[in-house]
Amino acid sequence: MDLKKIIAVITVLVISLALVGCSVFNGNRSDKVVIGGKNFTEQDILVYLMKEMIEAKTKLKVEVKPFLGGTNVVAQALEKGDLDIYAEYTGTALMNILGEPMLTDPQEAYDKVKALYQEKKQLVWLKPFGFNNTYTLTMRAEQADQLGIQSISDLAKFTPQLLLGATHEFLERPDGYKGIAEVYQLNFVGVGAMDPGLTYGACRDGKVDVIDAFATDGRIPAFNLKVLTDDKQFFPPYYAAPVIREATLQKHPEIADALHALSGKLTDKAMAELNAQVDLEKKDPKSVAKEWLVAQGLI
C-alpha cells in the first residue's frame, strides 16, 4: 500500500472514531436531565420525588443538585441551563421573580405565571403537586394564647416587645417581611436573620418570639407552634409545581406525563408529614420520597 492510501485509511479511521465518540457523548447527554432544589427540606424531598418518577416512567437518567441555595440562585440556574427542572411556588414566581402584583386566586396566579414564564423565559410550568406551602408568621402557642394573639393584626399590637427571627430570603422579599411589615404596621423590637433550618427550634426554645414559617412544615405541630391568621390576606397562594426548560420538554415530552402523575397527589397534610419524617425523625429524604411513591402505587 502506497503512502497516499495509508494516509487515506488513517483519515477515514480518525473521522469514524470521532463520529462514534460524538454519538456516544451526545447520546449520554440526551438521556440525562438535571433536577435542582432550594436549600430547605421540602425542596429536597421534591427533588427526589421527581427523580424517582422520571426514572420509573421513562428511560432517562436523572442527576440531582439539591440544596443549591435560595430562590434566585436556583431560578437563575434553570434559566442558564445548568438545571432542566426544579419545583417553584406560584406566589414566589409571581411576586419575587416576575415582580407582578399579588393575586389571591390560586388558579389565576398559576395561569399568570405559566403564561409569563412561557413568553419571557421559555420555561414551562407543569401541573401543580397539590399543596399550598404559603408563608406564615408563627409563634409559640402558649405565648400566643397568653397574649390573646390569633391573627397577624393581633400580633401588631405586641411587636414592640417581641423578637422576630426570619430567613435572609424572607427579610429581602417583597412578599416577605418588607411587605407584611408595611401592611400590618409591624414594629418588632428586634429582627434577626437566621438559617432556614434553625428558625423553628429557636422559636420553640424561646430565643425568638415570632418566625416566618412554611404552612406545610411538620415542625409547627411537633413544636407546639401556632400559625397566625393572615387576616388581611397579605400572602399570595404558593402552590408548588415542576418548572422545566422548554427545550428539555420538547426533546423529552415523556417527562410531562411522568410528573403529571404527581398532580394533586400531595395535599398540605401529606407534604407536612413527609417534611416531618426528615426534620423530626431524621430520615433520609431519598428514602422518604421513594417510600411514599411506593405506598401511593405511583412507582
Side-chain angles (χ1 to χ4, degrees):
M1 185 180 292
D2 61 30
L3 183 59
K4 288 183 179 180
K5 289 184 178 180
I6 293 173
I7 292 173
V9 170
I10 293 174
T11 300
V12 170
L13 286 172
V14 169
I15 292 172
S16 298
L17 288 171
L19 290 171
V20 169
C22 288
S23 174
V24 170
F25 178 72
N26 289 333
N28 287 338
R29 282 180 59 86
S30 66
D31 289 341
K32 183 183 78 172
V33 294
V34 182
I35 300 178
K38 304 183 194 183
N39 56 348
F40 56 92
T41 297
E42 180 169 286
Q43 283 272 311
D44 205 14
I45 296 169
L46 291 174
V47 165
Y48 291 107
L49 286 172
M50 291 188 287
K51 175 184 186 295
E52 292 290 343
M53 287 299 293
I54 290 172
E55 291 191 336
K57 304 295 184 181
T58 76
K59 296 180 180 180
L60 298 169
K61 295 297 180 184
V62 176
E63 177 185 343
V64 296
K65 294 184 178 181
F67 274 83
L68 281 180
T71 295
N72 290 337
V73 172
V74 184
Q76 288 173 16
L78 185 69
E79 290 191 42
K80 289 191 296 184
D82 296 333
L83 300 177
D84 292 295
I85 307 166
Y86 86 99
E88 188 53 276
Y89 305 88
T90 51
T92 299
L94 184 71
M95 298 181 68
N96 194 49
I97 297 177
L98 294 171
E100 292 288 318
M102 183 182 72
L103 295 171
T104 57
D105 180 80
Q107 188 62 52
E108 188 180 359
Y110 174 79
D111 291 342
K112 182 80 169 181
V113 297
K114 181 179 175 66
L116 289 178
Y117 265 60
Q118 184 93 44
E119 175 189 338
K120 295 183 176 183
K121 300 175 180 292
Q122 290 74 58
L123 302 175
V124 179
W125 278 68
L126 300 180
K127 295 179 182 179
F129 296 112
F131 66 91
N132 178 21
N133 189 9
T134 184
Y135 267 125
T136 72
L137 289 186
T138 300
M139 60 191 302
R140 291 183 299 284
E142 182 181 4
Q143 184 183 26
D145 292 343
Q146 287 174 350
L147 296 174
I149 297 174
Q150 299 291 329
S151 67
I152 301 177
S153 289
D154 295 335
L155 172 69
K157 306 168 190 174
F158 296 94
T159 51
Q161 65 190 63
L162 300 175
L163 291 171
L164 172 71
T167 64
H168 293 272
E169 184 169 325
F170 183 78
L171 293 176
E172 295 169 359
R173 287 170 56 143
D175 58 336
Y177 180 66
K178 293 178 181 178
I180 200 168
E182 181 178 349
V183 168
Y184 283 99
Q185 295 298 296
L186 305 180
N187 185 28
F188 289 97
V189 68
V191 176
M194 304 182 71
D195 182 271
L198 301 178
T199 55
Y200 297 87
C203 189
R204 175 197 60 193
D205 298 338
K207 295 177 181 177
V208 296
D209 300 299
V210 181
I211 60 170
D212 69 304
F214 296 121
T216 55
D217 199 296
R219 287 169 291 187
I220 292 175
F223 292 175
N224 196 28
L225 305 180
K226 183 183 186 71
V227 172
L228 304 183
T229 302
D230 180 14
D231 51 302
K232 295 185 179 180
Q233 296 185 323
F234 169 77
F235 292 118
Y238 294 89
Y239 282 85
V243 183
I244 182 170
R245 290 177 60 81
E246 186 176 57
T248 303
L249 188 59
Q250 289 174 347
K251 188 183 294 183
H252 301 295
E254 67 271 25
I255 291 175
D257 290 335
L259 295 183
H260 283 163
L262 288 170
S263 178
K265 298 293 195 301
L266 278 165
T267 63
D268 292 6
K269 182 180 178 182
M271 195 69 244
E273 289 173 350
L274 296 181
N275 287 331
Q277 287 182 46
V278 176
D279 287 324
L280 301 175
E281 299 175 32
K282 304 304 179 185
K283 292 184 178 180
D284 179 22
K286 301 177 192 177
S287 301
V288 168
K290 188 167 187 177
E291 287 170 8
W292 184 83
L293 290 170
V294 171
Q296 297 298 312
L298 292 169
I299 60 173

